[in-house]
Amino acid sequence: MKIGVLTYHIDLNPGATLQCYATCRALKELGHEVYVIDLEHYNGNPYSLSNIISRIVNSGNMRRQMRFIKKSFPPFTRHYNNIEELRANPPQMDAYCIGSDQVWNVDIAGHSHMAYFLDFGGERVKRFSYASSIGLSEWPIKDEAENAKINELFRNYIGLAVREVTASNIIKEKFNIDAQIVCDPVLLHKEYKELIPNNINSGEMSCYLFRRPQDLLDSLLNIAADKGWPIRMITSMKPIKGFIHTSKKDVPSWLGYMTNSIFNVTDSFHGTVVSMLYHRPFAVVYIDDGRSSRISDLLKTVGLEGRLFFNVDDFKESNIWNKAIDWDDVDARLEAYRAKSWEYLRNTLK
């Protein structure tokens, strides 16, 4: 089957890029011909001063990321600047797959958000979702005309699967439709040795944090000093005193830092996923903004909800960096989750 995958596919964020790679890898392993639907993704004004400065500052890392994408991704369709172009000349496929990440969060999807419900293409094209996420605790779309269209689209999907229990509950409440819960596509695969062939423990404490309050930074420096660990900050563009600065931010470099570490501290969903996949002890310190359900749902699934903290004081008092993880139990839970998710894909596409 010829399948077009739509998700966030070109992004400096390595987790977003890796989940697209993992989805395409899974579909190819099932024997399908896979293409990435190349829809331009803006969730703000690309011409604003802040966005222009950000693109200039990040240009080197974006070039590295693009080299990875060109080398590792399946072919792209023609480029679409917006949903109007996509509707006018949709890619000719047997099926469209709406992929993972927060594709149903309107604040992230932006102007073309209806495209992420597969609102384009002919009636004969099969449509399905895999591990799609809302990322919020309530349905984000208020326009009831759009909701009526989404309801119609969902009811014609050959498979509707979401990434979190919270998302499944929201869809049931809003549309009275049962959505299957499947694992994030990164968890479909047990390893990524094709991306990180030399897995050597660095002995570093790796910090993959998008929110970096000073009290958290101070705590991390104290923990690292007490343990005698070098400490690396992966996300900051500017050096932070006391932390090893990370200049390379493409997917292979990020995976190397996260999988070769001695302990990870993160507030990222995919930072959590990679830590679990590679048996890296970790803690999630999440300054809550209404999007924590995607992480808390995953941690409950594998029995590690005690490694999630919503404030710095609780993290400091936890001594979590000295507490071991029963990886045999985690792996057993992940394997059951993974098997169920592969079964969904096979049954949907057979």
Side-chain angles (χ1 to χ4, degrees), residues 242-312:
F243 292 81
I244 301 168
H245 180 59
T246 303
S247 57
K248 295 181 179 180
K249 301 181 189 296
D250 55 6
V251 166
S253 300
W254 171 71
L255 280 172
Y257 296 131
M258 295 296 288
T259 62
N260 296 334
S261 61
I262 198 166
F263 189 84
N264 291 335
V265 180
T266 188
D267 58 2
S268 155
F269 179 86
H270 286 107
T272 307
V273 165
V274 169
S275 298
M276 292 193 308
L277 201 59
Y278 279 85
H279 292 185
R280 295 297 88 198
F282 71 95
V284 180
V285 185
Y286 198 95
I287 311 304
D288 202 8
D289 60 356
R291 297 183 185 179
S292 63
S293 61
R294 58 206 172 102
I295 298 177
S296 59
D297 285 352
L298 173 63
L299 291 177
K300 287 175 184 175
T301 298
V302 297
L304 293 178
E305 57 267 41
R307 303 192 85 85
L308 172 61
F309 304 93
F310 291 108
N311 61 71
V312 177

Side-chain angles (χ1 to χ4, degrees), residues 188-203:
L188 280 172
H189 314 287
K190 294 182 180 180
E191 46 74 26
Y192 292 88
K193 63 183 178 181
E194 74 276 19
L195 304 182
I196 42 172
N198 299 314
N199 195 21
I200 302 172
N201 197 312
S202 67

Side-chain angles (χ1 to χ4, degrees), residues 87 114 117-123 125-128 139 143-160 171 174-177:
R87 285 168 171 162
M114 286 300 292
F117 297 98
L118 305 178
D119 186 19
F120 58 89
E123 293 182 1
V125 180
K126 295 175 173 61
R127 293 168 171 80
F128 68 99
W139 184 250
D143 186 323
E144 290 308 322
E146 287 189 347
N147 284 328
K149 181 61 178 177
I150 292 166
N151 183 43
E152 178 187 354
L153 289 164
F154 278 170
R155 292 182 183 279
N156 285 299
Y157 278 21
I158 60 171
L160 179 61
I171 289 173
K174 180 66 182 178
F175 301 106
N176 195 29
I177 298 173

Side-chain angles (χ1 to χ4, degrees), residues 111 255 315:
H111 164 73
L255 280 172
F315 168 66

